[in-house]
Amino acid sequence: MLEHQKKVLLGLAKNPYQFRKEIIKSFGWLNREQAEDLYNWVKKEMGSYYTQLVHEALYSMSA
């Protein structure tokens, strides 16, 4: 599931709105270890802009 979500997120990289929606769904599906791996992957592959989007998505899920 983690590898599938990485492929989906790569396809959505040019659309921040859709990327954010998909990252929220991804964290809902993945276990904690996979979610941490996904977060680190986004940070490494997509840079600071998307890392910030991930932070915002996580915050919105916890609120």
Side-chain angles (χ1 to χ4, degrees), residues 42-56:
V42 169
K43 189 174 175 179
K44 178 182 173 193
E45 297 295 322
M46 299 189 176
S48 62
Y49 178 74
Y50 282 98
T51 302
Q52 182 62 33
L53 265 173
V54 172
H55 281 295
E56 291 170 7

Side-chain angles (χ1 to χ4, degrees), residues 32-44:
R32 184 177 177 94
E33 182 180 325
Q34 290 173 324
E36 288 176 14
D37 289 345
L38 183 61
Y39 171 79
N40 291 327
W41 176 82
V42 169
K43 189 174 175 179
K44 178 182 173 193

Side-chain angles (χ1 to χ4, degrees), residues 2-3 6-7 12 14 19 21 25-26 28-29 41 45 49-52 60:
L2 177 60
E3 292 305 314
K6 287 178 182 179
K7 289 178 187 177
L12 296 173
K14 293 183 180 180
F19 183 92
K21 284 178 58 176
K25 287 193 287 185
S26 298
W29 293 331
W41 176 82
E45 297 295 322
Y49 178 74
Y50 282 98
T51 302
Q52 182 62 33
S60 71

